[in-house]
Amino acid sequence: MDHRRGVAAGQLPGNGDLSGRPAPLSPDSPESLLDLVALPGSRRLRFAPSPTGQLHIGNVRTALLSYCLTGNEGRFLVRIEDTDRERYRPEAVPENLATLAWLGLAWDEGPDIGGPCDPYIESERLHYYRAAADRLLDVGAAYPCFCSRERLEELRAAQRAAGLPTRYDGRCRTMPQAESQAAIAGGADHVVRLRMPPGQSRWEDLVLGPQEFQNEEIDDQILIKSDGFPTYHLAQVVDDHLMGITHVVRGVEWVPSTPKHLAVYAALGWEAPALAHVPLVLGPDHKKLAKRHGAMAVSEYREMGYLPEALANFLAFLGWSPGTEEEIFSLAELRSRMSFERLQSSPAIFDQPRLDYLNGVWIRRLAVSDLAKRLAEFLPQATSEQLTEIAAMVQERIRRLDEVPALLEFAFNEPSPTVELLRGQLTPEAARQFLKLADPLLDGDLEELMERLKEAEAGSLPEDAKQAKQRFKECMQVLRVAITGQRVSPPLPESISLIGREAAHRRIAMAIEQLAQTA
RNA sequence: GCCCGCAUCGUCUAGCGGUCAGGACACCACCCUUUCAAGGUGGUAACCGGGGUUCGACUCCCCGUGCGGGUACCA
């Protein structure tokens, strides 16, 4: 039952001819290409990115949802939807796959690893779409259309001007077959259009509930473009059927074209998969998430130091919740817990502060050694020993990995604080005196450094407890700035150990000198 | 314009006729503390409006409003 090989193999036309002209089909029944041999018993969901650029947050959320809703028993597949030759960018295929892999969305079948429904790249499946189109043409569910783009544009402009819905006017809909055959034989440019049947289209959407459209309001969609490539509307239906897809998860922007897809399934005699249209992700201004809202590409989030664990956790909760008060979920937990019933039908806003919070949570959950590895790309100059030391000292205080370089600037570059920064609340002279006092104390056990400093600093002046405490804090800040050049840094003992005692002594000496000049 | 969808704190959400409308982020205060964090405690903050249905509506229905999506030889 694992061999749900839905298609007859070895029928690729013209050795992968991708030039745009579909190769002629073998004379024996092209329809055999479209017979799915065995239907799968468990769930099969797919993610079908269009390789026109980087995967963005919205895309990847759909991928995540599909992956999670596949469940532990099902199969998750990736298919490359490269039917748009104008926007196609070949490098986007490996990029997109790498992004999915980074997020941890492992696929069971896909363009790189193959599978029972090979190939998983639509441009290599042209013969299937052609066969499907021929069948649709045969049964009268589709028709050739010879209208030029110019005519279509004029038509739309006129309709818009008249305040009418912009739709194809059906000029070629009733062309006698003999006439159209002759035109095609004569080499006339044409497309294949779906003949939208009368009546209504209905389906029970897994997220939105019952849906109904009047078919007369739906346009006669182009299924095969004049370059011979299918549009999404055909390719997606054919492949989902051939690949045994059981559930389609996609954004709500596809709702209005679903009746077209349903019509194709019906005309081909196929059963449509279950449909789940998930709400969009919006920017803080409640508009569809777009470039102007900042980072869009998932790769940018990686560069900003977000963990894939946190991003997945965050994205999953944009439209889903477990119904309990739990909120930290690993990808594996999400996959075993997510269900269609609990998907939200209202759009969600991408709230970066919440992502930051979750990222902090996930950073703190990491083993120190793991954090050290992930920090490597943010601190290329650090050795692996330093990385481990750094990981331990920053783990509790960062929300994003990219905060680390600034926090540890002092470890890789000599600081040069101003006198103002150096002395803080103290007079230059008092600051200098304290540094002189503190300097030799660095040489003992660093773990007890704070105790020694406290002891040494105390008793210099008779004060009440509160004042003494405050004074000590100010002294510590002077020492911190002398050593790190920053008012905010990891704890002093760790900071010193990171740069080494000699460097610490040297920096203190320089600070003392600097303070002496102004004193 | 036409078609479709959505509507609980600022944000993510719980709620599926009777709750002091719960949690989390963010924010504020306090505690802890060598800074920053982390952690702890507490606080401010929501059912879009109007009609129904019902003994009773955040919850069900209708209308309005707002927001979003679609309206390509793009996906």
Side-chain angles (χ1 to χ4, degrees):
Chain A
M1 91 174 86
D2 250 322
H3 273 275
R4 45 184 80 96
R5 168 160 223 115
V7 299
Q11 300 245 30
L12 275 170
N15 317 318
D17 169 19
L18 305 183
S19 64
R21 276 300 143 193
L25 283 164
S26 56
D28 57 314
S29 166
E31 305 200 2
S32 66
L33 288 175
L34 300 175
D35 292 331
L36 196 62
V37 176
L39 281 168
S42 60
R43 281 185 185 181
R44 287 172 66 79
L45 279 78
R46 49 70 173 175
F47 176 61
S50 178
T52 55
Q54 296 239 301
L55 241 34
H56 59 80
I57 291 295
N59 279 336
V60 99
R61 168 166 158 280
T62 306
L64 173 73
L65 259 22
S66 299
Y67 172 84
C68 292
L69 289 163
T70 299
N72 297 128
E73 311 301 314
R75 308 257 291 172
F76 177 60
L77 22 169
V78 172
R79 184 173 74 220
I80 301 299
E81 206 147 80
D82 58 346
T83 54
D84 182 347
R85 288 156 67 230
E86 314 241 319
R87 297 194 302 157
Y88 178 64
R89 278 184 47 215
E91 69 277 18
V93 175
E95 278 173 8
N96 290 179
L97 292 177
T99 296
L100 293 174
W102 176 74
L103 244 201
L105 308 183
W107 51 98
D108 303 297
E109 301 169 27
D112 54 339
I113 55 174
C117 305
D118 272 328
Y120 291 81
I121 296 180
E122 294 187 349
S123 60
E124 296 173 12
R125 302 174 59 84
L126 263 22
H127 51 304
Y128 294 123
Y129 314 130
R130 189 67 245 179
D134 286 345
R135 186 136 108 193
L136 291 170
L137 254 7
D138 281 351
V139 300
Y143 59 94
C145 172
F146 301 88
C147 294
S148 69
R149 292 172 206 248
E150 293 69 38
R151 179 175 118 74
L152 296 176
E153 264 164 46
E154 284 162 22
L155 179 65
R156 267 195 294 272
Q159 287 169 332
R160 235 188 301 271
L164 296 167
T166 54
R167 280 204 291 272
Y168 180 58
D169 61 356
R171 179 199 260 211
C172 297
R173 212 177 207 254
T174 53
M175 183 183 288
Q177 204 167 348
E179 195 180 321
S180 58
Q181 294 293 33
I184 291 170
D189 254 13
H190 69 286
V191 301
V192 176
R193 274 186 195 273
L194 172 66
R195 188 192 303 278
M196 201 59 199
Q200 291 85 33
S201 296
R202 287 179 237 271
W203 77 94
E204 184 67 28
D205 197 279
L206 260 24
V207 175
L208 302 176
Q211 301 292 304
E212 180 178 320
F213 281 81
Q214 300 301 318
N215 287 1
E216 59 190 20
E217 285 159 3
I218 310 293
D219 209 355
D220 277 358
Q221 181 63 232
I222 290 176
L223 298 177
I224 300 275
K225 302 179 249 188
S226 56
D227 65 3
F229 274 66
T231 58
Y232 166 88
H233 304 281
L234 209 221
Q236 171 263 149
V237 167
V238 170
D239 287 340
D240 284 346
H241 172 74
L242 257 22
M243 295 184 174
I245 299 303
T246 58
H247 303 254
V248 170
V249 177
R250 54 167 37 162
V252 289
E253 69 268 27
W254 293 109
V255 169
S257 50
T258 300
K260 301 168 185 173
H261 309 156
L262 259 17
V264 174
Y265 280 112
L268 257 12
W270 297 340
E271 193 187 337
L275 299 167
H277 289 96
V278 297
L280 260 26
V281 179
L282 309 179
D285 59 355
H286 295 230
K287 303 284 183 195
K288 187 175 180 177
L289 203 58
K291 271 126 321 206
R292 73 188 132 79
H293 293 116
M296 278 297 294
V298 176
S299 58
E300 295 176 76
Y301 284 84
R302 177 184 186 162
E303 286 157 18
M304 285 189 279
Y306 289 106
L307 265 34
E309 291 91 332
L311 196 56
N313 195 163
F314 172 74
L315 255 17
F317 273 70
L318 254 33
W320 176 82
S321 85
T324 66
E325 287 183 358
E326 303 158 277
E327 54 171 6
I328 306 300
F329 284 86
S330 68
L331 188 58
E333 288 166 335
L334 288 170
R335 198 179 204 192
S336 45
R337 298 277 297 269
M338 198 175 284
S339 65
F340 287 100
E341 298 75 61
R342 296 204 60 86
L343 288 182
Q344 192 89 13
S345 53
S346 54
I349 288 160
F350 188 94
D351 186 42
Q352 198 160 334
R354 193 178 169 82
L355 206 208
D356 286 347
Y357 160 76
L358 286 171
N359 206 51
V361 169
W362 280 100
I363 285 175
R364 276 172 256 127
R365 285 191 158 209
L366 256 28
V368 173
S369 56
D370 190 358
L371 179 57
K373 282 193 201 101
R374 303 196 198 209
L375 245 19
E377 64 184 280
F378 293 89
L379 290 169
Q381 70 274 56
T383 66
S384 74
E385 296 75 45
Q386 279 178 314
L387 246 17
T388 305
E389 211 172 336
I390 287 167
M393 74 177 79
V394 300
Q395 185 162 34
E396 291 266 301
R397 62 197 77 231
I398 56 169
R399 321 190 107 191
R400 282 164 41 174
L401 303 182
D402 68 349
E403 293 167 28
V404 176
L407 197 57
L408 295 178
E409 168 74 14
F410 72 93
F412 304 99
N413 293 299
E414 208 64 23
S416 50
T418 62
V419 171
E420 285 305 300
L421 192 65
L422 209 41
R423 70 180 177 91
Q425 302 297 306
L426 301 184
T427 62
E429 179 55 20
R432 196 172 67 91
Q433 289 302 333
F434 175 71
L435 289 180
K436 280 175 127 168
L437 183 70
D439 190 48
L441 300 179
L442 264 47
D443 292 321
D445 185 348
L446 278 179
E447 290 194 11
E448 289 158 17
L449 176 65
M450 299 314 292
E451 284 67 44
R452 287 201 300 280
L453 285 169
K454 211 169 281 186
E455 215 172 290
E457 198 275 335
S460 56
L461 282 173
E463 294 158 319
D464 67 41
K466 192 167 172 146
Q467 278 177 314
K469 204 169 173 181
Q470 188 54 39
R471 208 187 131 76
F472 181 66
K473 286 187 179 190
E474 282 160 16
C475 289
M476 284 307 102
Q477 279 304 88
V478 172
L479 186 54
R480 179 187 309 283
V481 173
I483 289 173
T484 68
Q486 305 163 188
R487 291 193 66 80
V488 173
S489 82
L492 267 174
E494 285 95 318
S495 297
I496 293 167
S497 125
L498 186 63
I499 60 171
R501 283 194 179 83
E502 274 146 63
H505 283 307
R506 192 176 63 244
R507 291 180 186 187
I508 289 174
M510 283 177 58
I512 288 173
E513 195 175 320
Q514 207 179 342
L515 286 164
Q517 282 169 11
T518 54

